[in-house]
Amino acid sequence: MQPLNLLLLTMLLAAVAYVLGSARSRTLAMPLGGVRHLKSLPGYYGVRAAIWCGVPALVILGLWAAFEGKMIQSIVVGTLPDTMIPDTAGEASLLMSKIGNVANGSLPPGFVEEPVAKAAELLQVLQVQSKIYMTGLVLAVALLAGFVGWVRIRPLLNAREQVEAILRWFFFACAGVAVLTTVGIVFSVVFETIRFFEQVPFFEFFFGTSWSPQLALRTDQVGSEGAFGMIPLFTGTLLISFIAMLIAAPVGLLSAIYLSEYANKRVRSTVKPLLEMLAGIPTVVYGFFAALTVAPFISDLASAIGVEASSQSALAAGLVMGIMIIPFVSSLSDDVINAVPQTLRDGSLALGATQSETMKKVIFPAALPGIMGGLLLAVSRAIGETMIVVMAAGLAANLTANPLETVTTVTVQIVTLLVGDQEFDSAKTLAAFALGAMLFISTLLLNVIALKIVRKYREQYD
Amino acid sequence: MTDHTSQAELVRRSLKGRYRKERRFRAYGIVAIAIALAALVTLFTDIVGKGYTGFLKTTITLEVTMDPDLMYLDDPTDPKQVRMADFVAPLVAAVGRALPSATQDDQDALRRLINPYASSELRDALIENPEWMGTTRTMSFLAHSNVDVYVKHKGDAAYSIKLTDQQQAWVDDLRARELVETSFNDVFFTSGDSRDPAKAGVLGAIVGSLLTMIITLVLAFPIGVAAAIYLEEFAPRNKLTDFIEVNINNLAAVPSIIFGLLGLAIFINLFGMPRSVPVVGGLVLTLMTLPTIIISSRAAIKSVPPSVREAAEGIGASKMQVVLHHVLPLALPGMLTGSIIGMAQALGETAPLLLIGMVAFIVEVPEGLFDAATVLPVQVFLWAGSPELAFIERASAAIMVLLAFLMSMNALAIWLRKRLERRW
């Protein structure tokens, strides 16, 4: 049976267990003089029975489905003669897909070597057997555990407490998913990064000034060594982020100030949602706008005034990224400005300061730490932004500060290296993970600092 | 006394400058808002201006003679032979008849006026209606994508370069006789991707997005709500809870592409899940949207007044009963609003899906969670990267479809908030 159908069937069984469980508790309560002689309400007995029936079976099902493929694969590869055991990950996946193709009938067995045909036969058998065993085991566990749970219903059993304890554990586990995600991120980048540094020296990566990850097809080819210096990528990222912040910081901040201090209610209630609309537009749309409208416009404009500009300039990507970040900056600064106590504002105005003087000399300094925190968050957003730069910035890793030239960024390189076929033992693929690790660490640092500043600042006025 | 007057005088004299500064500062604010709104308006007009033509298709009406000799058929009654017959020749002949000025040497140029898929349309029609063999029928076919963009952008030199002057004259002639017409592009909404822009549609991407969103919703909403309940109601104040909270706040700010790396390394490499499928896309987007949903659900739980809890506890409800029977129903509208906004974010997300292979060229509309699929934003990305102008206008049209979905989701969230959320 397919895992999805089995999942539905198990849930159905659990529902049946619920009905039977609550019915049994009622039956048991009858001779005692009614439901009020039960320790818990009948529904709780039902839920308890359903948990007994469903949870262990679903856990088994999940584990089986997760590891089935890998197990079968290792058994199948184990039957191959030693000469055919693949050396590299690339060959292994090629061999496996060959075996798989023979097994599902899209490749006639006569076309391949005999051991492969045999392995394919074995694969087919194992796949069928695995499905049968899985179905049998899951259903047996569901029925058996459900039955035990049902039999053990007693009037004095405190089903409510048990159910609530299990629910509480479930809630805790759900909260733990966030931690698991972080752990998953760290693990997924750390191992590949370590493997990357086994192939590429540490210093070359951090201080090298040239980036060209193309690896040669043959090892003796001229220029077969790829260059993995991340300096041009980081300067490119910083250049584009800098341009973006040059737009977003003043525009976002000033519009937040205007909206919170000057605008009347009607203006605010129309302009604010419009600004938030900018935040809701998917980044791929900004990328489209940057690549097909802003970039040609800039290069036309530049050539009209006699300056040479690349068709994929850092300026175009930075400008559009700035527009994207405006609502982010403005809503964060808005929060911070509104958090400044009204007494400060009133005090300044009472001394005869104009509104702008109050803003510039009293509120802004008071809100400054919070605003800085918000700007740092915006910078981290800009560094991690992917689609705009993938579509509008180029691939050439130039070490330049000229915004009219093409630069590339960390995120662009991660996407370029990982889209398409990958070999998980080449420095090229591993480099993407190393870059990902750097990106994760730098944005994490920025976020931690920014969140600390913002929180500390909030406490100050609470 | 003189001191006093001079001070007042000083203030009065400075007033003009100070008011000027005040006005200037206010103007800066207005300019800033104007810049932001101008950017918004430019973006929308640009997309609509580039893309509205994507919702139009160009058809060409021909009188096709299904002549067995022209189709190299020995036996027109044999379905097997009919299947293999030449269907381009009758089409080209029909175009030639519609254009008296064309000669025998213009076959190639004539063929390039009709869509490459028109011959298979003709074949399917003839297989379905074998009695048409040998007759002449008036049928409509999609025009070639070069004709399509030429007709839709009449007068714009950039869109006519792929047609020769003679072809342009022919198309103008056919258009004047209303044999070439533009109409609503139903193909765009009823087919998957294609190498031919005229046959390319967003249905595959929409279904792919839908499947991915189903997975995301089914996983992210319950997990997010449960996590929020735990953190707000049950978590003891200790180091572990603090750690979880810091984690969630940081995850909310981790670049989305990092989640793509996670999906690639964990789901695809470690668990051996297939690439390009909605299940993996949904899992990755679940992890990405969870922090948003948790944070907004916690805010919703917080806004339920303590009096409700105390009343429930007062009549003997257990902590879990208080939460499940009273707090959760009251907080649900707020949770739903936050989740819809999180889902809208996930729907527009592209970068992590590129890394898990949802960027493949897929013609078939996916039918299940384990079918190779792509999603709307990725489809936009794929078309936007094409050098063909016809694909660019379809990318814009796809953006409009995507934005329509996003806006209706946001409208739903706003409506829910207005309708269901209670202020205490």
Side-chain angles (χ1 to χ4, degrees):
Chain A
M1 204 181 287
Q2 289 303 315
L4 206 62
N5 295 342
L6 200 53
L7 177 79
L8 292 177
L9 185 64
T10 314
M11 284 163 111
L12 193 74
L13 283 177
V16 172
Y18 170 82
V19 174
L20 292 179
S22 56
R24 178 170 160 88
S25 70
R26 272 179 226 276
T27 328
L28 288 177
M30 207 74 90
L32 299 174
V35 171
R36 66 200 174 88
H37 291 277
L38 289 174
K39 196 89 175 157
S40 314
L41 290 166
Y44 284 105
Y45 290 97
V47 174
R48 183 177 168 279
I51 290 172
W52 270 78
C53 169
V55 173
L58 290 180
V59 168
I60 291 174
L61 175 61
L63 290 176
W64 197 293
F67 293 105
E68 180 186 33
K70 286 264 163 181
M71 291 291 285
I72 292 182
Q73 187 175 333
S74 67
I75 295 173
V76 168
V77 172
T79 63
L80 292 173
D82 285 344
T83 49
M84 286 189 67
I85 300 287
D87 302 323
T88 65
E91 277 176 38
S93 77
L94 210 65
L95 185 67
M96 271 325 288
S97 69
K98 199 160 148 194
I99 296 174
N101 281 338
V102 177
N104 66 28
S106 53
L107 193 69
F111 275 45
V112 294
E113 303 89 328
E114 205 209 313
V116 173
K118 269 201 179 134
E121 233 167 81
L122 180 67
L123 177 68
Q124 213 173 0
V125 171
L126 283 178
Q127 273 171 345
V128 172
Q129 275 180 352
S130 162
K131 287 274 179 300
I132 294 172
Y133 289 148
M134 177 175 74
T135 311
L137 187 65
V138 168
L139 290 184
V141 167
L143 291 174
L144 202 68
F147 180 70
V148 171
W150 181 77
V151 164
R152 285 173 62 173
I153 293 173
R154 298 270 178 276
L156 281 180
L157 181 83
N158 197 336
R160 180 176 60 78
E161 263 178 18
Q162 291 188 2
V163 168
E164 287 184 354
I166 290 170
L167 260 183
R168 197 179 302 212
W169 275 105
F170 169 71
F171 289 165
F172 173 72
C174 287
V177 170
V179 180
L180 280 185
T181 310
T182 311
V183 172
I185 289 175
V186 171
F187 268 83
S188 55
V189 294
V190 159
F191 287 118
E192 315 290 353
T193 307
I194 291 172
R195 282 170 62 199
F196 174 72
F197 284 125
E198 280 166 6
Q199 298 186 21
V200 174
F202 205 68
F203 272 94
E204 192 199 319
F205 183 64
F206 281 103
F207 301 106
T209 53
S210 90
W211 173 268
S212 64
Q214 299 84 352
L215 284 184
L217 294 171
R218 300 190 320 268
T219 40
D220 54 346
Q221 196 170 318
V222 179
S224 65
E225 294 279 305
F228 294 96
M230 69 167 202
I231 296 280
L233 306 189
F234 263 80
T235 51
T237 308
L238 290 179
L239 176 63
I240 291 181
S241 308
F242 180 71
I243 297 170
M245 292 310 292
L246 227 48
I247 307 281
V251 173
L253 196 56
L254 284 172
S255 49
I257 289 174
Y258 185 84
L259 286 179
S260 64
E261 298 293 322
Y262 290 107
N264 58 26
K265 222 174 166 188
R266 249 189 52 219
V267 172
R268 192 165 33 222
S269 63
T270 44
V271 172
K272 248 188 145 174
L274 282 175
L275 279 185
E276 273 161 19
M277 239 167 120
L278 274 177
I281 294 174
T283 52
V284 71
V285 179
Y286 282 112
F288 180 86
F289 182 59
L292 291 154
T293 306
V294 179
F297 176 74
I298 285 176
S299 84
D300 288 351
L301 195 71
S303 61
I305 58 171
V307 192
E308 194 156 328
S310 149
S311 63
Q312 293 182 313
S313 56
L315 187 59
L319 257 170
V320 175
M321 197 188 280
I323 295 172
M324 184 195 85
I325 297 177
I326 289 172
F328 196 68
V329 174
S330 88
S331 77
L332 279 171
S333 337
D334 200 31
D335 286 352
V336 176
I337 291 170
N338 281 331
V340 175
Q342 188 64 29
T343 47
L344 283 179
R345 219 165 269 141
D346 294 345
S348 167
L349 291 174
L351 284 172
T354 63
Q355 257 176 311
S356 65
E357 284 162 352
T358 306
M359 191 66 228
K360 279 187 269 191
K361 302 208 167 113
V362 178
I363 299 177
F364 189 71
L368 193 62
I371 290 174
M372 288 312 289
L375 289 181
L376 279 184
L377 280 179
V379 171
S380 118
R381 173 68 71 92
I383 290 177
E385 170 47 42
T386 311
M387 288 323 290
I388 295 177
V389 281
V390 165
M391 295 168 82
L395 289 172
N398 294 325
L399 191 56
T400 175
N402 179 359
L404 294 176
E405 262 186 68
T406 302
V407 294
T408 190
T409 72
V410 175
T411 48
V412 172
Q413 289 303 320
I414 295 177
V415 169
T416 331
L417 293 175
L418 288 182
V419 169
D421 288 330
Q422 306 129 10
E423 272 183 56
F424 267 84
D425 44 6
S426 88
K428 196 178 144 187
T429 306
L430 297 175
F433 283 90
L435 288 177
M438 296 307 127
L439 182 65
F440 180 62
I441 292 170
S442 45
T443 50
L444 190 69
L445 276 179
L446 278 175
N447 292 338
V448 169
I449 296 170
L451 287 175
K452 235 185 197 137
I453 295 176
V454 171
R455 188 177 304 169
K456 200 163 192 179
Y457 169 79
R458 264 197 207 129
E459 278 161 10
Q460 215 174 10
Y461 287 117
D462 268 349
Chain B
M1 200 62 187
T2 43
D3 239 34
H4 208 81
T5 26
S6 72
Q7 273 232 337
E9 194 55 36
L10 219 67
V11 170
R12 198 167 303 129
R13 246 183 289 150
S14 72
L15 265 184
K16 218 169 140 190
R18 285 170 63 202
Y19 282 154
R20 206 179 309 126
K21 267 189 188 160
E22 170 75 23
R23 279 195 297 275
R24 210 182 304 144
F25 190 68
R26 194 185 280 239
Y28 289 154
I30 293 174
V31 168
I33 290 176
I35 290 176
L37 295 184
L40 184 70
V41 171
T42 318
L43 183 67
F44 275 104
T45 44
D46 180 56
I47 303 261
V48 173
K50 274 206 176 86
Y52 75 96
T53 47
F55 293 118
L56 297 174
K57 67 171 178 182
T58 306
T59 48
I60 178 164
T61 310
L62 297 173
E63 298 208 346
V64 189
T65 307
M66 279 152 271
D67 177 5
D69 291 339
L70 205 56
M71 292 153 72
Y72 300 104
L73 280 171
D74 305 325
D75 176 12
T77 54
D78 180 7
K80 240 188 193 155
Q81 266 196 34
V82 173
R83 217 170 276 278
M84 309 290 278
D86 180 3
F87 288 92
V88 179
L91 285 173
V92 174
V95 183
R97 270 199 304 283
L99 292 165
S101 64
T103 64
Q104 200 57 37
D105 301 335
D106 293 330
Q107 295 274 330
D108 244 16
L110 289 174
R111 186 168 54 77
R112 292 214 183 94
L113 295 182
I114 40 178
N115 192 278
Y117 287 89
S119 59
S120 52
E121 272 172 43
L122 181 63
R123 183 192 62 201
D124 293 346
L126 195 61
I127 288 173
E128 218 166 274
N129 309 290
E131 71 277 7
W132 288 3
M133 184 61 76
T135 61
T136 301
R137 306 192 68 86
T138 309
M139 296 171 79
S140 268
F141 296 98
L142 281 178
H144 198 282
S145 60
N146 294 342
V147 176
D148 183 47
V149 287
Y150 171 71
V151 169
K152 287 193 279 196
H153 300 270
K154 196 89 191 67
D156 190 339
Y159 288 92
S160 57
I161 43 172
K162 287 219 175 153
L163 292 183
T164 62
D165 289 342
Q166 190 188 26
Q167 280 176 318
Q168 291 181 26
W170 284 339
V171 173
D172 292 341
D173 181 22
L174 290 172
R175 192 150 169 67
R177 284 150 54 198
E178 290 185 352
L179 291 175
V180 165
E181 281 176 314
T182 56
S183 54
F184 176 69
N185 191 353
D186 52 339
V187 179
F188 188 67
F189 291 98
T190 53
S191 56
D193 199 1
S194 170
R195 292 280 182 225
D196 182 0
K199 288 285 279 185
V202 286
L203 184 65
I206 289 177
V207 173
S209 274
L210 209 67
L211 293 171
T212 311
M213 285 301 110
I214 288 174
I215 296 278
T216 310
L217 184 66
V218 164
L219 290 176
F221 185 65
I223 296 180
V225 168
I229 290 177
Y230 179 78
L231 291 173
E232 268 319 302
E233 300 283 345
F234 295 104
R237 292 281 133 223
N238 60 19
K239 282 255 156 72
L240 181 64
T241 313
D242 282 347
F243 179 63
I244 294 177
E245 274 186 36
V246 170
N247 243 303
I248 290 171
N249 286 335
N250 279 323
L251 276 182
V254 165
S256 61
I257 189 168
I258 301 282
F259 288 96
L261 286 176
L262 167 84
L264 181 61
I266 306 279
F267 296 132
I268 292 182
N269 281 343
L270 190 63
F271 292 147
M273 289 183 177
R275 300 171 132 265
S276 317
V277 294
V279 170
V280 179
L283 282 171
V284 169
L285 292 181
T286 299
L287 296 183
M288 206 195 77
T289 41
L290 257 184
T292 320
I293 295 183
I294 294 177
I295 291 169
S296 64
S297 300
R298 289 186 68 177
I301 294 175
K302 258 193 204 135
S303 71
V304 176
S307 58
V308 172
R309 279 183 198 113
E310 283 155 12
E313 267 161 18
I315 54 167
S318 73
K319 178 81 189 162
M320 189 63 81
Q321 285 170 330
V322 172
V323 172
L324 293 185
H325 299 175
H326 302 281
V327 176
L328 190 60
L330 290 174
L332 211 54
M335 293 173 163
L336 277 178
T337 316
S339 302
I340 292 173
I341 289 169
M343 296 296 293
Q345 229 175 42
L347 179 61
E349 196 53 69
T350 323
L353 301 180
L354 296 183
L355 297 193
I356 56 158
M358 292 190 89
V359 62
F361 170 73
I362 292 150
V363 178
E364 282 94 28
V365 176
E367 282 169 351
L369 294 172
F370 286 92
D371 282 358
T374 187
V375 292
L376 259 177
V378 176
Q379 189 69 73
V380 171
F381 169 69
L382 285 172
W383 285 343
S386 160
E388 278 188 66
L389 288 166
F391 271 126
I392 304 294
E393 67 181 27
R394 271 159 185 83
S396 295
I399 287 177
M400 282 189 258
V401 174
L402 177 62
L403 288 180
F405 273 112
L406 291 177
M407 279 178 188
S408 39
M409 280 169 88
N410 280 312
L412 179 70
I414 291 169
W415 180 78
L416 264 179
R417 185 172 358 189
K418 286 227 168 96
R419 200 55 211 279
L420 299 172
E421 212 164 50
R422 228 193 288 182
R423 295 245 159 233
W424 301 94

